[in-house]
Every structure is written in structure tokens, then in C-alpha cells.
């Protein structure tokens, strides 16, 4: 069985690319896609607690996908997979393909993880669309995919090679590698052979899963493998090795055909898909190209052994910095079909903004160029590089040195006040001093001295210009450095008017205008809501120009600090507001619980209503009130007299009623007697 291999430290071990240029650029793994035009470039960088995958569109230089995960990534590979009905987009073309039964292929980036699982990231969907797990328990070392995206092969640190059904996500076949520390896989173009490499190379027959042949020749761990477009030649390079070995993948010969050599260690190789050409990228950032990798093969028969022959590069490509003349390292390179297949795509720069360029290594007649030297601006990891911008170079050419010869230095003694004195000589000097302009004008009766002087002067205000002329007035204010006119322009607050004005503002006035806005923002924070509308419009509309301005970060640093200072207080204010709301709600609840129903009803009725009247209304109200009092008094006296009359009248009526009753009685008696 042998001793089990110790697990690697992911922070110190290297799986894909550990070149000095990549390490200096902060790149862990990087690779071009497997197309003939090299449309995409993927790189993985290491953050504090996660790994970040970014995919660049090579032709436009922009980021097409950005993905980060806390899972540790151990290998990177390109491939295709079949789009099922769940993955296809809801488009007319996708519907026709699903209806016709034709499955489309989606370009994916295969990520081998430290947990032993495999994740397939789709560029079209921008997320992980498939996971293969359950077979490996150690970190994945390498993964290759077939052309139709149906099968895949993986190898891990446990030494097992697994054939996968990618569509079903199942394991088809699993076998043990014949050597230890197998780290790399390479599938032939006809998909009938699989090359595995550790310290030695083994060629497998995928139909029978048997060994075809083995190659030995590298003393260190093999870094990369590449098949020729006819699968008859296999090339390989190893760590800390400046040779590229060329192997015969068809015959029974196990020795290398030739060795391609460079002056420094080789980090990356690639085989052309149309011609027997090989390229290699070195630690120094140079690219060597061999037009015919197997041209030194010599047939030797008999008892003599085949001699190992070396071949130097037919063409060397290097990039020189225009700043200091140093070599700009190349991160990766790949053959492309531009210029009839006589060109390579190179990636240089940093992990933040890598630069891609197609380099032609042959002349117009087809002859190969022995030396290709390019002069380019150096690229760093800074978002705004002052040394690499055209505006910075123009500024250096026109910048004037600061001269202090005309400067006036003011000290403490310049502000000292003289003590009052009664010196007659001083009074005589003051009396003989020259009169002021105001005194002269008063003598000439030009100034009207009869009018009293106003203690406070009114500030001259200018009305805000119309939206149609706002851009012209703003340019005039910035050109003449007129603060009053600039304040008039800033009175506009409509976002549409501001955006249209900033869009038409010339670029040479953007930085002065931005600095004026930041100064006003820092001096008067209360104007922040109105000023931020202007600042936002400048930053969003003219972003492309601002990226070319040198030292923009330094100019915006004070603005950043002001924003951070304001934002740092915001959470405390929110916490204070929450506490005050809780206290106020408790006070209201307690006060409401102590109030009875009668008090609540009484509180709803106003006891005293105060009505404020004018002086004329008050006089009329007083007169009406006096008249009402007089009338009420007279009514009371008249009421008493009427009561006495009513009493007398009622007594007389009573007497008359008694007399009538007596007469009636007498009449009744007379009638009885009769």
C-alpha cells in the first residue's frame, strides 16, 4: 500500500500557477478559455476569508462575471456543459432548440475545491449550476471536460481518477493512478487517450482504462501537459525547470523527441490548434515560440541510442516599460487564430485590471521574427495609476515649479498693535499725514455727508440663471473664479437640470468645479443635500474622464474623510432616536393609564376659548355690551310694574265673581218659593 501522502497546505502549496509575475500581481490561478480565439480569461485571487473568481472579456477588457465563495479553490479549468431545460434562457432560440431536441452548450469554469467536490460555474447564468461530489475526500488537483460536455475526468490528492457523467452528476468509473502524487490531467483531442502526470507521465486508453505507455524525464513535479492538434505529440514542463520536453504519443518510443529550452524557468506552455507550434512563458515574463516543436527529430537505428537534442526558441516576445525600461512580465499566453494562426494573445498587468493584447510574431511575408519587442505603459494594482495616464504625462510637461521668491512671509510682529501715546511729535506727524480719498471727496462735495452711514452693508445677490443658460453661466463663473455667480448657479436643485448641465460642461472645468463643491460641502455641512446632487452628477456622468486624472484619490481624500465622519455619527443618532421613541411611548402610555373616562371627556371640551380681535372690533364689542346692559336693566323695572298690575286686576276679578255667585243664589231661592 505504501505510506499515505500528507495533505498539502493550501496557503503554501501550488496547484495551477505559482509564477513570480502572478504572485506579484496577487493571482493564485489563471487560464485562458479553450477556444481558438481566447475570448475569456479567468483568474482567482485570495482574499482574507474567501476566494474570488473574476472572468474578463478579453476583447473588451471588461469583467463579465464576478463570483466569490468561502470555499477554498484548488484548481481551475475551462469546458462546456449541456444546457438542460432548467438552465436554458427563456428566449425564442432556446425554445426552438428545446422543441427540436438539440441541446446547446454553455461555457463553464470548473472549480476544484479543497473539500473534494467540483463546482461548475456558468458564464451565461453567473452562478454555480452543477456540483459533483461524493467520490473524492481530498482536495481536487485537476479536472478536464470533453468537448460535448457530457463527460469529465478528475484527480485528487488521494490518487484516484474518476470519470463523471456531468449531466447526471454521477460517477461512471473510478480507478487508482499508477504513480504517486498525480497532479495533472490532459485529454486528447479525439478523447480516446488521457495523460496523467506527477513526476512521470502515463498515457491511458479510456476505452479499456489500461496504460498505453509511460514517459520519464522530469526530476520535479510536472506542471502542465499539452497535446498537438493531431494527438501525435505531447509536451510537458515541470516546476523549477527551463526545459519543455516533447514526447511521441503514437509510437512505442518512450524517450523524448527533443527538449525546448529557454534561459529561465518555464511557468506556462501552450500548443497551437492549427500548427505544430509551442509557446512558453518564463519567470522573467518573456514568451518563447517554437515554430515546429518536433523538427529536430532524427531517425537513428541500429545499436546507437537516440541522442537528446535541444532547441532554442525561434521567436522571443518581451514587453518593455516606457517608464524605466524594465521588462513588464507576461501573466499568460495562448495561440489564437488571428493573422492566419500566427499570433498569440498575452495577458499582462495586475489582478485588478489586466491588459490583453494580440501579438503577431511573423512578418508580412510569413517569415518568423526572431525578436518582438513592445513598449508599453506599466500597469499596477492601483485603480488610478498616475504614471500610466496620458493626462498625467501632459500635466508633467506643462507643470511649473513652485517659486517662493515672490512670497511674503508674515510673522507675529506684523500683527502687533502700538500702545497709545501722547507724543506731540507723533500728533504732528499724524496731522501732517496725507488725507484719505474719502476726505478729498468730501472736500469736493462729491460725497453726500448729510445722509447717515449705514452700519450694515447688504450683500449683492444675483438671481439664479435660467436652465437654458445655466451651463454657460457656470463656465463663466468657473473661468473667472466668481464665487457670487457660482452660488447663483448652485441654487438650481432639479436633478434633470443639473444632469443636463454637467453633461454639457467641458472637461477642463470638471476638477475645479468638483473642488469648489467639496470645499463648500466641508465648510457648510448643512448644504449637503443640495451639494451632493451636483457632486453625484459629476462623478457618475464623467467617470471615464475622472479615471484618467492623476492623483484623483489624493484630491478626493478630504471628501472621503468628511463623508466617513458624517456617516460615523449616523448609527449613534439612530440608536438615540430609538431610545427616545421608547421613552416617549412609555410616558404616553403611563399618562393615558392614569386618566379616567370623565377626565378624557372633559379634556375634549375646551374650557376657555381665546379669540383675538382687532382694536376696532373690540370697541364695537364694548359698545354693544353696554347697550345690552342698559336694555336688560330697563326690562327688569318694567317687569316689576307689570306684576303689580296683574295682582290688582286679579283681586278685582275675584270680587266680581263673588257678586255674581250671590245673585245666582238669590235667583234660585225665588224660584223655589214660587
Amino acid at each position: 500500500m505504501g505510506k499515505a501522502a500528507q495533505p498539502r497546505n493550501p496557503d503554501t502549496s501550488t496547484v495551477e500557477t505559482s509564477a513570480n509575475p502572478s504572485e506579484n500581481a496577487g493571482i493564485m490561478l489563471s487560464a485562458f478559455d479553450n477556444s481558438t480565439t481566447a475570448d475569456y480569461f479567468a483568474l482567482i485571487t485570495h482574499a482574507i476569508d474567501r476566494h474570488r473568481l473574476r472572468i474578463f472579456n478579453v476583447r473588451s477588457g471588461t469583467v463579465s462575471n464576478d463570483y466569490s465563495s468561502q470555499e477554498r479553490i484548488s484548481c481551475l479549468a475551462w469546458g462546456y456543459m449541456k444546457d438542460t431545460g432548467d438552465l436554458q434562457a427563456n428566449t425564442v432560440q432556446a425554445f426552438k432548440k428545446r422543441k427540436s431536441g438539440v441541446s446547446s452548450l454553455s461555457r463553464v469554469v470548473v472549480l476544484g475545491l479543497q473539500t473534494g467536490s467540483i463546482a461548475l460555474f456558468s458564464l451565461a447564468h453567473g452562478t454555480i449550476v452543477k456540483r459533483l461530489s461524493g467520490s473524492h475526500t481530498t482536495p481536487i488537483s485537476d479536472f478536464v471536460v470533453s468537448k460535448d460536455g457530457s463527460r469529465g475526468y478528475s484527480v485528487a490528492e488521494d490518487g484516484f481518477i474518476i470519470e463523471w457523467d456531468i449531466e447526471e452528476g454521477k460517477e461512471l468509473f473510478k480507478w487508482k493512478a499508477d504513480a504517486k502524487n498525480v497532479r495533472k490531467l490532459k485529454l486528447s483531442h479525439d478523447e480516446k487517450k488521457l495523460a496523467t502526470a506527477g513526476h512521470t507521465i502515463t498515457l491511458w486508453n479510456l476505452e479499456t482504462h489500461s496504460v498505453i505507455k509511460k514517459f520519464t524525464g522530469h526530476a520535479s513535479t510536472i506542471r502542465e501537459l499539452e497535446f498537438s492538434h493531431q494527438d501525435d505529440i505531447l509536451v510537458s514542463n515541470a516546476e523549477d525547470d527551463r526545459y519543455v520536453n516533447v514526447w511521441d504519443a503514437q509510437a512505442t518510443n518512450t524517450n523524448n523527441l527533443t527538449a525546448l529550452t529557454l534561459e529561465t524557468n518555464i511557468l506556462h506552455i501552450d500548443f497551437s490548434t492549427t500548427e505544430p507550434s509551442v509557446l512558453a512563458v518564463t519567470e522573467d515574463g518573456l514568451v518563447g515560440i517554437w515554430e515546429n516543436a518536433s523538427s529536430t527529430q532524427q531517425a537513428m537505428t541500429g545499436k546507437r541510442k537516440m541522442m537528446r537534442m535541444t532547441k532554442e526558441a525561434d521567436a522571443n516576445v518581451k514587453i518593455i516599460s516606457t517608464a524605466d525600461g524594465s521588462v513588464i512580465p507576461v501573466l499568460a499566453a495562448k495561440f489564437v487564430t488571428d493573422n492566419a494562426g500566427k499570433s498569440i494573445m498575452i495577458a499582462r498587468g495586475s489582478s485588478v485590471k489586466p491588459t490583453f493584447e494580440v501579438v503577431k510574431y511573423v512578418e508580412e511575408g510569413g517569415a518568423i521574427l526572431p525578436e518582438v519587442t513592445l513598449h508599453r505603459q506599466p500597469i499596477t494594482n492601483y485603480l488610478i495609476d498616475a504614471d500610466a495616464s496620458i493626462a498625467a504625462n501632459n500635466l508633467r510637461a506643462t507643470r511649473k515649479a513652485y517659486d517662493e521668491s515672490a512670497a511674503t512671509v508674515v510673522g507675529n510682529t506684523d500683527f502687533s498693535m502700538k500702545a497709545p501715546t501722547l507724543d506731540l511729535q507723533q500728533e504732528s506727524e499724524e496731522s501732517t499725514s496725507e488725507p484719505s480719498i474719502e476726505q478729498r471727496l468730501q472736500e469736493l462735495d462729491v460725497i453726500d455727508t448729510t445722509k447717515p452711514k449705514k452700519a450694515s452693508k447688504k450683500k449683492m445677490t444675483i438671481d439664479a440663471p435660467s436652465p437654458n443658460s445655466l451651463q454657460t453661466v457656470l463656465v463663466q463663473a468657473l473661468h473667472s473664479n466668481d464665487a457670487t455667480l457660482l452660488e447663483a448657479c448652485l441654487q438650481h436643485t432639479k436633478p434633470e437640470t443639473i444632469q443636463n448641465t454637467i453633461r454639457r460642461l467641458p472637461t477642463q472645468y470638471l476638477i475645479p468645479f468638483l473642488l469648489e463643491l467639496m470645499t463648500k460641502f466641508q465648510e457648510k455641512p448643512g448644504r449637503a443635500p443640495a451639494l451632493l446632487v451636483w457632486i453625484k452628477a459629476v462623478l457618475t456622468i464623467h467617470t471615464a474622464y475622472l479615471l484618467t486624472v492623476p492623483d484623483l484619490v489624493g484630491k478626493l481624500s478630504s471628501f472621503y474623510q468628511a463623508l466617513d465622519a458624517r456617516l460615523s455619527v449616523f448609527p449613534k443618532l439612530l440608536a438615540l432616536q430609538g431610545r427616545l421613541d421608547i421613552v416617549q411611548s412609555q410616558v404616553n402610555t403611563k399618562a393615558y393609564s392614569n386618566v379616567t373616562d370623565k377626565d378624557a371627556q372633559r379634556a375634549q371640551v375646551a374650557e376657555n376659548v381665546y379669540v383675538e380681535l382687532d382694536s376696532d372690533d373690540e370697541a364695537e364689542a364694548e359698545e354693544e355690551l353696554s347697550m345690552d346692559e342698559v336694555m336688560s336693566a330697563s326690562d327688569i323695572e318694567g317687569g316689576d310694574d307689570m306684576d303689580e298690575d296683574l295682582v290688582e286686576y286679579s283681586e278685582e276679578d275675584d270680587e266680581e265673581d263673588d257678586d255674581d255667585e250671590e245673585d245666582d243664589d238669590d235667583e234660585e231661592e225665588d224660584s223655589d218659593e214660587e
Side-chain angles (χ1 to χ4, degrees):
M1 294 292 295
K3 186 177 180 181
Q6 295 293 333
R8 296 182 304 156
N9 187 354
D11 297 331
T12 58
S13 60
T14 303
V15 177
E16 179 74 12
T17 304
S18 60
N20 291 334
S22 298
E23 290 178 357
N24 295 334
I27 300 175
M28 293 176 52
L29 307 171
S30 63
F32 283 101
D33 65 350
N34 49 12
S35 64
T36 58
T37 55
D39 297 327
Y40 295 95
F41 180 75
L43 60 87
I44 296 175
T45 55
H46 181 70
I48 297 176
D49 59 342
R50 62 186 62 240
H51 284 181
R52 183 182 182 186
L53 167 67
R54 286 192 299 162
I55 302 174
F56 291 85
N57 189 325
V58 172
R59 302 298 174 173
S60 63
T62 58
V63 179
S64 61
N65 297 92
D66 195 338
Y67 173 77
S68 61
S69 174
Q70 294 183 351
E71 297 178 314
R72 301 295 176 178
I73 301 173
S74 57
C75 71
L76 169 69
W78 284 89
Y80 294 91
M81 68 172 296
K82 295 181 179 179
D83 258 355
T84 59
D86 299 334
L87 298 179
Q88 288 181 353
N90 295 324
T91 59
V92 178
Q93 293 81 0
F95 177 76
K96 291 180 179 179
K97 289 181 179 180
R98 288 196 297 265
K99 188 175 180 181
S100 62
V102 178
S103 60
S104 61
L105 295 178
S106 175
R107 183 172 288 166
V108 296
V109 175
V110 183
L111 304 176
L113 307 178
Q114 293 282 344
T115 58
S117 60
I118 302 163
L120 279 71
F121 179 87
S122 174
L123 275 68
H125 303 87
T127 185
I128 301 295
V129 296
K130 182 75 70 174
R131 284 185 180 270
L132 307 176
S133 59
S135 298
H136 291 293
T137 57
T138 56
I140 304 298
S141 299
D142 200 4
F143 192 91
V144 292
V145 188
S146 61
K147 295 179 181 179
D148 59 357
S150 60
R151 291 181 301 161
Y153 299 89
S154 63
V155 63
E157 294 184 3
D158 54 10
F160 285 98
I161 304 172
I162 297 178
E163 181 180 356
W164 296 90
D165 185 345
I166 297 179
E167 187 174 355
E168 298 293 334
K170 297 180 180 179
E171 173 188 330
L172 296 179
F173 193 80
K174 180 178 181 180
W175 72 95
K176 183 72 174 179
D178 63 326
K180 297 180 181 179
N181 300 327
V182 175
R183 293 289 180 267
K184 300 302 296 182
L185 298 176
K186 190 63 181 180
L187 187 64
S188 62
H189 292 84
D190 58 5
E191 299 181 359
K192 295 181 179 179
K193 293 177 289 186
L194 179 68
T196 62
H199 289 280
T200 61
I201 303 174
T202 304
L203 202 60
W204 297 84
N205 186 343
L206 293 179
E207 295 180 356
T208 60
H209 299 93
S210 59
V211 177
I212 299 175
K213 59 184 351 182
K214 293 184 179 181
F215 304 103
T216 57
H218 289 289
S220 56
T221 304
I222 294 175
R223 188 190 298 272
E224 279 185 295
L225 297 170
E226 290 292 339
F227 276 101
S228 63
H229 64 288
Q230 296 179 352
D231 295 331
D232 56 343
I233 297 175
L234 177 67
V235 295
S236 63
N237 75 302
E239 297 179 357
D240 300 327
D241 195 352
R242 63 187 186 92
Y243 292 98
V244 177
N245 288 342
V246 182
W247 311 93
D248 186 0
Q250 295 291 340
T252 58
N253 179 27
T254 58
N255 294 327
N256 59 337
L257 300 176
T258 185
L260 312 178
T261 180
L262 289 173
E263 295 182 358
T264 56
N265 295 335
I266 297 173
L267 305 175
H268 170 70
I269 59 174
D270 185 57
F271 216 121
S272 175
T273 57
T274 57
E275 297 181 355
S277 301
V278 177
L279 67 81
V281 181
T282 65
E283 286 183 352
D284 297 339
L286 305 179
V287 180
I289 302 174
W290 293 267
E291 189 175 15
N292 191 352
S294 60
S295 61
T296 59
Q297 180 179 1
Q298 296 181 1
M300 294 186 181
T301 58
K303 296 182 179 180
R304 295 183 59 187
K305 295 182 179 179
M306 181 175 293
M307 297 176 58
R308 176 175 177 175
M309 303 183 65
T310 60
K311 182 181 180 181
E312 296 182 355
D314 299 325
N316 293 307
V317 179
K318 62 180 178 180
I319 304 175
I320 303 299
S321 173
T322 56
D324 53 3
S326 60
V327 177
I328 300 177
V330 176
L331 303 177
K334 181 179 176 61
F335 284 102
V336 292
T337 56
D338 297 17
N339 301 318
K342 299 292 185 179
S343 302
I344 61 173
M345 176 72 72
I346 61 173
R348 59 181 175 87
S350 64
S351 60
V352 177
K353 47 179 181 179
T355 303
F356 308 98
E357 185 176 358
V358 177
V359 179
K360 184 179 179 181
Y361 59 88
V362 295
E363 298 177 351
E364 297 297 334
I368 191 168
L369 295 172
E371 293 290 337
V372 179
T373 304
L374 306 176
H375 296 274
R376 299 291 183 268
Q377 290 284 348
I379 304 297
T380 63
N381 274 332
Y382 297 107
L383 289 176
I384 301 175
D385 192 357
D387 297 334
S389 61
I390 300 175
N393 297 331
N394 296 335
L395 183 62
R396 291 193 196 94
T398 58
R399 180 181 295 175
K400 296 181 179 180
Y402 176 69
D403 187 11
E404 293 184 352
S405 60
T408 302
V409 180
V410 180
N412 296 330
T413 58
D414 297 324
F415 298 98
S416 61
M417 298 179 62
K418 296 181 179 181
T421 180
L422 297 177
D423 191 0
L424 297 177
Q425 183 179 0
Q426 182 178 359
E427 292 179 356
S428 61
E429 291 178 356
E430 291 179 355
S431 62
T432 58
S433 61
E434 185 179 358
S436 63
I437 297 177
E438 183 179 3
Q439 294 175 356
R440 292 181 178 180
L441 294 176
Q442 290 178 358
E443 293 176 357
L444 298 174
D445 294 335
V446 177
I447 297 179
D448 189 4
T449 58
T450 59
K451 294 183 179 180
K453 297 181 180 179
K454 295 183 179 180
S456 62
K457 297 181 180 180
K458 294 184 179 179
K459 296 183 179 179
M460 183 179 63
T461 59
I462 301 178
D463 296 335
S466 62
N468 296 330
S469 61
L470 180 58
Q471 183 264 342
T472 305
V473 177
L474 182 59
V475 171
Q476 181 181 358
L478 295 174
H479 184 73
S480 61
N481 198 13
D482 192 342
T484 306
L485 197 60
L486 181 61
E487 287 292 340
C489 296
L490 295 179
Q491 294 180 10
H492 287 272
T493 57
K494 292 184 178 181
E496 296 180 356
T497 304
I498 294 173
Q499 291 177 3
N500 294 332
T501 303
I502 296 299
R503 190 175 288 108
R504 294 182 297 166
L505 187 66
T507 55
Q508 62 267 26
Y509 296 105
L510 290 177
I511 298 301
F513 182 52
L514 192 60
L515 294 178
E516 289 289 338
L517 292 175
M518 293 177 184
T519 304
K520 295 180 182 296
F521 176 80
Q522 295 174 3
E523 291 177 352
K524 296 182 179 180
R527 300 183 60 186
L531 295 176
L532 286 177
V533 179
W534 289 89
I535 296 174
K536 180 181 178 182
V538 174
L539 296 178
T540 54
I541 295 174
H542 296 281
T543 305
Y545 170 74
L546 293 176
L547 290 176
T548 62
V549 176
D551 300 332
L552 182 63
V553 176
K555 295 177 181 178
L556 297 180
S557 60
S558 59
F559 180 62
Y560 293 156
Q561 293 175 1
L563 289 179
D564 292 339
R566 292 173 66 91
L567 292 176
S568 62
V569 185
F570 186 66
K572 298 179 182 179
L573 293 178
L574 288 179
L576 179 60
Q577 182 183 3
R579 294 178 182 178
L580 293 177
D581 292 341
I582 294 174
V583 172
Q584 186 65 32
S585 63
Q586 291 178 355
V587 171
N588 295 336
T589 303
K590 186 176 181 180
Y592 182 76
S593 61
N594 295 331
V595 175
T596 59
D597 296 338
K598 294 182 178 180
D599 294 337
Q601 295 177 0
R602 188 182 302 168
Q604 296 177 359
V605 180
E607 296 180 356
N608 296 322
V609 179
Y610 173 75
V611 179
E612 184 178 1
L613 301 175
D614 297 336
S615 60
D616 297 337
D617 296 338
E618 291 178 357
E620 293 177 359
E622 290 178 357
E623 293 178 358
E624 292 178 357
L625 181 60
S626 61
M627 292 295 296
D628 293 339
E629 291 178 353
V630 172
M631 293 297 295
S632 61
S634 61
D635 291 341
I636 292 172
E637 293 177 357
D640 295 339
D641 297 337
M642 290 178 66
D643 292 340
E644 293 177 356
D645 295 338
L646 289 174
V647 171
E648 294 176 357
Y649 180 75
S650 61
E651 292 177 354
E652 292 177 357
D653 289 342
D654 292 340
E655 292 177 357
E656 291 178 359
D657 292 339
D658 294 338
D659 295 338
D660 292 336
E661 289 178 357
E662 291 178 357
D663 294 338
D664 293 337
D665 293 339
D666 294 336
E667 290 178 0
E668 288 178 358
E669 290 177 357
D670 294 335
S671 62
D672 292 339
E673 292 176 358
E674 292 177 0

